[in-house]
Amino acid sequence: MATWHPHLWHPTTQVATADPPLRAVRARGALLELEDGRQLIDAISSWWVTLHGHAEPEIAAAVAAQAQTLEQVIFANFSHPPAEALATALSARTGLERLFFSDNGSTAVEVALKIAWQWWRNQEAAGTPGAAARRRLIAFDGAYHGDTFGAMALGERSIFSAPFQPLLFEVARAPWPATWWDDEGIEAREAAALQRLEQLLEEVPTAAVILEPMIQGAGGMAMVRPSFVHGVAERVRAAGALLIADEVMTGFGRTGALFAHRHAAIQPDLIALSKGLTGGFLPMGVTMASEGLFAGFVDAEQPGRTLFHGHSFTANPLGCAAANASLALLERQAERFTGFEARHRPHLEALARHPRLRRPRLLGTVAAVELVVERPGYLNPVGRELQRRVLEQGVFLRPLGQVLYLLPPLCLSDAQLEQCYAAIGLALDAL
Ligand SMILES: *Cc1c(COP(=O)(O)O)cnc(C)c1O
């Protein structure tokens, strides 16, 4: 019987109304095994991190070997081979020459923001014309960038951040023209959003614009067209501002491309990565930055131009070893992420015909659809109800309010995928 532990405090959980947590004892591939022997399909990759599958043997072996070689060393004074290998690999794949390590997605975003902001302050100190005025930050409606203060400020104001509202710095916001299959109004919404962005960029000199390329994750798996992401990048470039891509969720094949910004053929100045980075084994975040940004922090005469940021576990060798093994595996079996969308499609087409559902959308491994409800939002209880019913059929989902989505590990078999969709169909009929 599931119970609450007297000494634990769970994330984003209202203890008074939530079901007690399930007790996991082991996991393999797409399956989580509970204490009572039940097996569940992990259809959301354990909060979007388990990229290949649980306990993936190659990554497990790489972590075990690294643990017996070099488990940790202070990264301010030392470097080490797994960190260097990862930096070389990710630089080649992102087109951004410099890698800065931190511990999770929120810190990867914080670091991107600190680099962008301080780069302009360093430019200002160096006397670059116009740099001093660049103080505006722009993000998008519905965005989620993490739970630390800077990341909260960049994200949409919500029930998550409401108590901290007076402590959050100001961010200008542009509309996010989310779309779905057979969406007839998208051209007009997209044009209006780009026009508003242009206005914001013209109004006040802008330091940086941050977006989640192609999919807003926590914002409800809200997908946009590549043309929008491309249009954003063009306008940001024209305004001379910096473009930050928050690929914490979309990175590492999630959207069918190695990185989501590639769908729009754009080059961000900064990219935040985490979730899939270590294949879901270890907490780690990285911020990729261009050589031009890095150069703005190099100055023998002015120590204040240094990026004074660092975490105790910066570039943890175990995390680096996991990330290197995960990336090698991902690229060796690229058809597993490039081909996932085609596996979802027929199932989502069939499911979307259900009268209670609307707005189906699909990109790479991520499939989403919405329940028709009177009051949409994260707190709408329909998601929790559906979660319970799907769980009874051996599938773990975690809807975002009325938004149901699948974001499974790449190892998910055809039979398991079918089981996920069948469980949702049955749960809907029983609602
Ligand atoms: C999850 C997420 C974050 C925050 O990452 P954490 O590891 O949870 O701190 C930031 N941005 C996006 C797009 C995310 O999905």
Side-chain angles (χ1 to χ4, degrees), residues 48 104-107 109 144-147 212 218 246 248-249 274-275:
W48 321 345
N104 56 63
S106 303
T107 56
V109 168
Y144 176 80
H145 296 294
D147 288 346
E212 295 158 84
D246 178 353
V248 169
M249 185 279 274
S274 182
K275 293 197 167 109

Side-chain angles (χ1 to χ4, degrees), residues 167-212:
L167 304 180
L168 303 179
F169 53 78
E170 197 186 311
V171 174
R173 240 166 258 285
W176 183 255
T179 190
W180 47 85
W181 289 352
D182 303 321
D183 172 10
E184 279 164 14
I186 184 57
E187 302 279 344
R189 289 203 312 282
E190 199 173 290
L194 288 172
Q195 200 183 3
R196 179 70 188 133
L197 175 66
E198 253 170 56
Q199 261 176 9
L200 292 173
L201 287 163
E202 279 166 17
E203 236 169 51
V204 179
T206 298
V209 177
I210 184 167
L211 89 165
E212 295 158 84

